[in-house]
Amino acid sequence: MKEFFPRRGLPNVIQKLENGEPVTIVYFGGSNTRSEGYRVMTADWLRDQYPHADIRAVNAGIDGTGSDLGCARLETDVLSHQPDLVFVEFVGNDGGVPESKARIEGIVRQIRKHSLCTDILFVYTIKERDLKLFQSGEYQKGALMQEEVADYYGIPSIHLGVAVSQLVLDGKLVFTSSSDVSIPGAVIFTHDSIHPTIPEGHQIYTDTITRSFEKMRELRDHVGKVEHHLPQDPLVPANPWEYATMLPLDRLTQFSAGWSYMTSNDFALVRKYDWLFPGLWRAVDPGETITVEFEGTHIGLFDIGGPDSGRLKVSVDGGESFLIDRFTPYNDHNRNQYIFLPELPNGKHTVCFEIDHKKTDKAAVFEASGNERSMEHVRQHPDWYDQTVIQLGKLLLVQPPS
């Protein structure tokens, strides 16, 4: 299996590095990008390779997020930094859903519309569940979808799982083992089957990326600045995701009286998440509503969930209501999360979100996922879970031209 597909390479960022110019690299993805792993290691390697270049590395990773949120937050978290190179890492969190191809293309088209000279690099991480696929000669479904986008736009891509899989076959790597175990002669790659150990596991990712970078450097023909390909027609017909955006909630929203805007001055949770949101819109009582009028195909909420989270009753354009639960199997602690509603016909819509009077059986949610530790947490702190709190950070929209 090939680990690297160079396509049109990274001509512009390599030229700037070789010329000793300032360079901005944005690392855009999920938890593997946010961690102090390959992101930090590859930036350090580049600084060693190009000591005269002023390299600024931007951490645009957010735990547990996929390319759908990525499309919406691209302007705020990536393009605002005027990047020369964008690493894109979403295979793990996208999970191979069919919509992933359209969303990844939405990211590419937004970057290319911003600047045809910005280089893009796709990197595909590996989970333990993917190992059998690799060892039978197949890439993950999500990576194959992204490869179609990479082919269409000439974007280089790196399959980080190829080297990991080979090391397992060679007996030099154990994919998952607990943190209190050491295995002579073998690297322990993860403690949780998903996130590589630091530094050992992420060093394998880094070595794969730097090998590929060296090949791109060798393949580059010195032709000066290159304008990348932006075909008029997207690969995915009528793809709306290049028109995704993330807005402050109060831009398009009407709030009932029970909502409060909490800032870092008056709420500790906002101080914890001030890197994501300047403030949180918070309501605690059933019956409180927000109403959003917008034009487009998708609407979503970027929020903070926790033990106290409630459910939202949603109605679209006056239709029959349905529930979205903001309590998840991971909410024995506060964490950032988000949701998009199903796609709508492109046009004007009015969406009402109302805090539901009925409460989720949160202990049953944990029991269904087999999480005994979280079930014990409910027993220890029943008051924390017996609430219907909603805490909203941003509004997510997809608004293609009508």
Side-chain angles (χ1 to χ4, degrees):
M1 294 179 74
K2 289 175 63 177
E3 69 179 12
F4 171 53
F5 293 82
R7 299 187 179 91
R8 297 193 71 194
L10 305 175
N12 297 321
V13 74
I14 290 175
Q15 177 172 291
K16 292 186 79 170
L17 288 166
E18 290 179 347
N19 291 344
E21 298 177 47
V23 163
T24 296
I25 302 172
V26 176
Y27 293 84
F28 188 43
S31 53
N32 280 320
T33 293
R34 181 159 181 79
S35 73
E36 303 287 308
Y38 86 88
R39 170 178 58 83
V40 173
M41 294 174 176
T42 56
D44 286 344
W45 181 84
L46 287 167
R47 291 186 182 106
D48 287 341
Q49 294 284 307
Y50 301 99
H52 300 295
D54 177 13
I55 299 172
R56 182 169 72 108
V58 176
N59 183 359
I62 301 179
D63 297 357
T65 65
S67 58
D68 48 359
L69 180 66
C71 286
R73 66 184 182 91
L74 193 73
E75 176 63 43
T76 303
D77 295 353
V78 177
L79 301 182
S80 64
H81 297 287
Q82 306 300 324
D84 297 290
L85 169 62
V86 181
F87 279 72
V88 178
E89 177 267 312
F90 286 115
V91 158
N93 287 336
D94 276 5
V97 297
E99 297 83 3
S100 177
K101 181 163 69 172
R103 295 163 181 170
I104 289 293
E105 183 181 34
I107 288 171
V108 171
R109 292 187 70 85
Q110 283 189 63
I111 295 171
R112 293 273 164 94
K113 284 193 294 186
H114 179 80
S115 170
L116 290 175
C117 295
T118 298
D119 293 337
I120 303 170
L121 176 63
F122 287 173
V123 293
Y124 309 131
T125 56
I126 186 173
K127 299 181 180 181
E128 187 165 26
R129 71 183 187 198
D130 304 322
L131 200 54
K132 285 184 179 178
L133 274 176
F134 273 82
Q135 292 177 346
S136 64
E138 295 181 49
Y139 302 110
Q140 313 99 308
K141 183 179 177 183
L144 293 174
M145 286 191 288
Q146 284 195 218
E147 285 293 87
E148 292 182 54
V149 178
D151 274 337
Y152 193 66
Y153 292 93
I155 295 168
S157 60
I158 304 173
H159 293 265
L160 300 176
V162 173
V164 175
S165 174
Q166 187 60 50
L167 287 167
V168 172
L169 287 173
D170 294 343
K172 297 177 181 177
L173 183 146
V174 174
F175 203 100
T176 302
S177 184
S178 59
S179 56
D180 57 354
V181 172
S182 63
I183 300 172
V187 170
I188 294 174
F189 187 62
T190 79
H191 298 315
D192 63 1
S193 80
I194 296 170
H195 301 97
T197 52
I198 297 174
E200 298 86 357
H202 269 279
Q203 188 62 57
I204 296 167
Y205 278 178
T206 301
D207 291 344
T208 306
I209 293 168
T210 56
R211 271 197 305 275
S212 302
F213 192 94
E214 287 174 333
K215 289 175 184 174
M216 282 186 275
R217 187 164 53 190
E218 292 164 10
L219 290 169
R220 187 173 75 89
D221 49 6
H222 296 263
V223 295
K225 186 177 285 190
V226 173
E227 287 199 347
H228 290 296
H229 187 45
L230 180 59
Q232 182 174 349
D233 294 326
L235 173 66
V236 178
N239 187 355
W241 284 95
E242 66 182 279
Y243 304 101
T245 188
M246 183 170 70
L247 299 174
L249 264 138
D250 54 1
R251 184 82 62 87
L252 296 172
T253 305
Q254 291 181 315
F255 297 87
S256 63
W259 289 87
S260 300
Y261 186 67
M262 315 298 288
T263 69
S264 57
N265 294 327
D266 47 34
F267 199 46
L269 192 65
V270 179
R271 288 193 290 276
K272 181 179 178 182
Y273 287 97
D274 61 1
W275 60 281
L276 279 180
F277 312 120
L280 288 171
W281 287 94
R282 189 172 194 268
V284 302
D285 295 324
E288 297 296 343
T289 63
I290 65 168
T291 303
V292 184
E293 294 185 1
F294 80 104
E295 194 164 346
T297 58
H298 294 77
I299 182 171
L301 300 171
F302 194 8
D303 60 336
I304 300 295
D308 55 2
S309 290
R311 314 193 296 188
L312 288 170
K313 193 161 57 175
V314 185
S315 65
V316 179
D317 299 329
E320 187 174 343
S321 63
F322 58 93
L323 290 172
I324 57 172
D325 201 339
R326 302 319 296 138
F327 179 82
T328 76
Y330 308 104
N331 284 149
D332 61 0
H333 62 285
N334 291 117
R335 65 193 296 272
N336 57 268
Q337 55 191 32
Y338 67 99
I339 188 167
F340 277 95
L341 301 190
E343 185 171 3
L344 298 167
N346 194 16
K348 293 181 179 179
H349 301 285
T350 301
V351 182
C352 181
F353 299 88
E354 178 184 346
I355 301 180
D356 191 34
H357 286 76
K358 292 183 180 179
K359 296 174 184 174
T360 298
D361 185 343
K362 297 175 180 179
V365 171
F366 290 143
E367 186 176 6
S369 62
N371 193 333
E372 179 56 42
R373 180 180 61 83
S374 297
M375 291 162 62
E376 178 60 27
H377 196 251
V378 178
R379 290 190 284 269
Q380 290 176 357
H381 305 283
D383 292 347
W384 292 5
Y385 289 87
D386 189 29
Q387 299 181 62
T388 56
V389 176
I390 298 292
Q391 301 174 125
L392 305 176
K394 294 280 188 178
L395 185 65
L396 310 172
L397 297 174
V398 179
Q399 299 183 291
S402 54

